Amino acid sequence: MELPPGPREDPCAWDDDSDPEPEPDPDAQAEAYVSRVLSPPQFGLAPLRAPPLSAPAAFSGAPEPRPTSKGPSVQFPGLLSLPPELLLEICAYLDARLVLHVLPRVCRALRDLVRDHVTWRLRAQRRVRAPYPVVEEEDFDWPAACIELEQHLSRWAEDGRWAEYFCLADGHFASIDSVLLLQGGTLCLSGSRDRNVNLWDLRQLGVEPSRVLVKALGTQKNSTHKGWVWSLAALDHRVCSGSWDSTVKLWDMAADGQQFGEIKGKAAVLCLSYRPDILVTGTYDKKVTVYDPRAGPALLKSRRLHSSAVLALLADDRHIISGSEDHTLVVFDRRANSVLQRLQVGPAQGLEGPGLHVAQPELLYPSSLPQLDSYLLCMSYQEPQLWAGDNQGLLHVFANREGCFQLVRTFDVGHRSQITGIKHSLGALYTTSTDKTIRVRPSDRLHPLLARNTPLDFACCPPPGARAHRPTTDHLHPKPSQRAKWDLC
């Protein structure tokens, strides 16, 4: 590696660098590294020597330093002559998307600096107040995490002062138990105890209020279902709704919400998960049932995985994960067609106020399980992190480590009642609760940035593509309507 000449040394003395120094100077190596990484190549010029950082260096091809002249300089002044630490400090004031997608097109030096994941890890750590991410990952996407985190902080800056708030007060005459946002948040579906699934066009908010409510799905004269609508799920433009009438109905939003299928079960459908190859239902009769939506839909299998009603459900390419009132979390292996794990969910011991508790996982197999006070009501999964809210207002984080889910941490996020909806991403965490609040916070912080009381008897405001519902049998009676108000914290 070529070392830079000192400020008073003859540049020609560095022509012969065939024999490396036995003990290289660390400072000289650092200067050479900065010069090599940050100096763009110059075509048509003789090879250049790395200039010292303290003063501009002369053109190394000349035998003697040239006097100062007013002509064009062949040195490297400006940003690229700065140490990488200063460049990173400057980039910290720029939008993360611009840094990631624009700066690499400027020159090779900036490209190498921006593509280094250490750069993004340092950037994220400057903005967080706790260990991040919650679950350690070897291939964690630091650039994407920085973008989402900064967008979240910007969107909810100043306690959400710049966020718009709309209340859809008309359309249902009973409690709403499920909400689903579609197409980037432009469309909304709401399922209610009035047995209807309403379609809302949010693009008309503030423009044509009379056109916000599009219609109630279905062709029945009075309602979409014959029972309370309790769950909603979507895959692209296809939507399914689950009801206490023991049916699942499928709707095509690309065809103006026309129904294209119906599943008639034997028990109330409390939760749903919609995948390209399977449609999974969790029902009141303790079963998890799998259908093929491409064929009919056709029944593939039904398993009684719990000893009580199935309240929360999600699926991916390898697993079906379900939570129940029997205080267990069951991980079903789709490929092996068997139960992979059965985890006991219980209250965190030693949790001190709104904070963090590191718990040891307890793995149980099908047997007589002790009944505890905590069970899961909602889940959000982004491999390898599984976030779940329980009936005590606590948030549990499980890590998928080599196919084995382990409980790693439990959060008290400030809810005073059941957590009924959750959406977790690299940069944000949204939770809803029967305490009539929506809490929004960065993924790294435990205290909420924003909480709002809602006019509904539960809170439901997940980001686009997520669902919020209250799949618990403890609250089956309507409550009096309450006035909406802000509660910023």
Side-chain angles (χ1 to χ4, degrees):
M1 180 173 61
E2 194 173 46
L3 299 178
R8 297 184 181 179
E9 294 178 348
D10 184 3
C12 296
W14 295 92
D15 290 340
D16 186 8
D17 57 352
S18 59
D19 296 326
E21 292 291 338
E23 295 182 0
D25 183 3
D27 294 335
Q29 284 186 326
E31 293 177 0
Y33 172 79
V34 171
S35 177
R36 183 178 69 255
V37 172
L38 300 182
S39 298
Q42 297 293 317
F43 300 100
L45 297 178
L48 301 178
R49 306 301 183 191
L53 298 179
S54 59
F59 182 65
S60 60
E64 296 181 358
R66 295 181 178 180
T68 304
S69 65
K70 298 181 180 180
S73 175
V74 294
Q75 303 169 24
F76 301 100
L79 291 177
L80 296 182
S81 64
L82 297 176
E85 294 80 6
L86 293 181
L87 286 175
L88 294 178
E89 182 68 22
I90 295 173
C91 291
Y93 292 91
L94 301 177
D95 181 75
R97 287 185 179 272
L98 184 145
V99 173
L100 182 61
H101 300 298
V102 177
L103 291 190
R105 301 181 181 182
V106 176
C107 65
R108 188 175 302 173
L110 290 178
R111 182 196 64 187
D112 295 339
L113 184 66
V114 169
R115 289 184 177 179
D116 187 0
H117 276 213
V118 176
T119 298
W120 294 99
R121 182 169 186 168
L122 294 175
R123 182 180 179 120
Q125 290 176 346
R126 295 182 57 179
R127 288 164 169 78
V128 299
R129 303 181 182 179
Y132 180 77
V134 175
V135 177
E136 297 182 1
E137 305 175 36
E138 293 184 1
D139 299 327
F140 187 72
D141 194 344
W142 287 101
C146 282
I147 290 175
E148 287 197 29
L149 184 61
E150 292 178 16
Q151 284 183 339
H152 174 83
L153 294 175
S154 174
R155 183 179 297 118
W156 297 100
E158 301 183 30
D159 291 332
R161 179 178 302 177
W162 305 106
E164 293 185 85
Y165 168 58
F166 297 93
C167 180
L168 306 179
D170 300 323
H172 291 289
F173 60 84
S175 299
I176 299 173
D177 292 291
S178 186
V179 171
L180 183 67
L181 297 178
L182 303 171
Q183 299 181 13
T186 59
L187 298 181
C188 175
L189 289 175
S190 56
S192 170
R193 299 183 187 184
D194 62 10
R195 299 172 171 79
N196 275 329
V197 177
N198 281 355
L199 173 63
W200 310 81
D201 187 353
L202 303 185
R203 294 167 294 188
Q204 302 298 328
L205 289 171
V207 180
E208 290 288 342
S210 61
R211 300 178 59 183
V212 176
L213 176 57
V214 179
K215 66 175 184 178
L217 298 184
T219 57
Q220 297 186 29
K221 184 177 180 180
N222 297 322
S223 60
T224 306
H225 283 271
K226 296 180 180 179
W228 293 352
V229 181
W230 205 251
S231 54
L232 294 170
L235 176 66
D236 299 328
H237 57 86
R238 291 165 291 180
V239 176
C240 59
S241 57
S243 169
W244 281 85
D245 63 5
S246 305
T247 66
V248 176
K249 295 187 177 183
L250 294 91
W251 316 92
D252 188 352
M253 306 313 298
D256 197 26
Q258 296 298 315
Q259 181 177 347
F260 69 93
E262 181 176 354
I263 300 172
K264 295 182 179 180
K266 298 181 180 179
V269 181
L270 304 183
C271 47
L272 294 163
S273 182
Y274 203 169
R275 300 285 300 175
D277 57 336
I278 59 171
L279 172 60
V280 189
T281 65
T283 52
Y284 190 77
D285 61 355
K286 315 165 191 175
K287 292 183 180 180
V288 174
T289 306
V290 182
Y291 300 90
D292 186 347
R294 302 165 296 182
L299 174 64
L300 296 181
K301 54 191 169 187
S302 182
R303 297 284 295 271
R304 181 167 293 183
L305 301 180
H306 296 276
S307 60
S308 188
V310 182
L311 305 181
L313 185 69
L314 58 83
D316 64 5
D317 294 335
R318 296 194 58 183
H319 307 103
I320 297 175
I321 306 173
S322 57
S324 168
E325 277 187 302
D326 63 6
H327 314 281
T328 62
L329 177 72
V330 173
V331 181
F332 186 85
D333 191 327
R334 292 181 56 187
R335 300 177 182 179
N337 194 30
S338 63
V339 174
L340 179 64
Q341 286 179 280
R342 188 180 298 269
L343 290 89
Q344 174 181 287
V345 182
Q349 302 295 329
L351 192 66
E352 299 178 359
L356 177 66
H357 172 73
V358 180
Q360 295 296 328
E362 184 173 1
L363 178 61
L364 299 177
Y365 295 92
S367 61
S368 59
L369 299 176
Q371 297 297 305
L372 301 178
D373 297 330
S374 178
Y375 50 85
L376 303 181
L377 299 176
C378 54
M379 295 184 291
S380 177
Y381 182 55
Q382 186 174 12
E383 192 176 5
Q385 302 183 40
L386 172 64
W387 292 64
D390 70 9
N391 65 316
Q392 293 186 339
L394 299 180
L395 202 60
H396 307 276
V397 183
F398 300 84
N400 182 2
R401 293 170 175 166
E402 298 181 355
C404 179
F405 286 82
Q406 298 178 2
L407 175 63
V408 292
R409 290 179 179 175
T410 298
F411 294 100
D412 179 1
V413 292
H415 285 298
R416 301 186 304 273
S417 187
Q418 295 94 337
I419 296 179
T420 56
I422 179 175
K423 173 61 178 179
H424 171 262
S425 67
L426 293 176
L429 176 67
Y430 297 77
T431 55
T432 66
S433 171
T434 53
D435 64 7
K436 308 179 184 66
T437 62
I438 303 167
R439 296 187 176 266
V440 185
R441 63 191 60 77
S443 294
D444 66 292
R445 302 182 188 178
L446 300 181
H447 67 278
L449 290 180
L450 171 68
R452 167 185 285 174
N453 288 338
T454 70
L456 307 177
D457 65 335
F458 84 115
C460 51
C461 187
R467 62 182 182 274
H469 54 86
R470 190 180 58 189
T472 170
T473 58
D474 295 338
H475 305 274
L476 303 184
H477 303 287
K479 298 181 180 180
S481 60
Q482 302 188 20
R483 181 175 301 174
K485 67 176 183 178
W486 282 92
D487 181 16
L488 299 179
C489 54

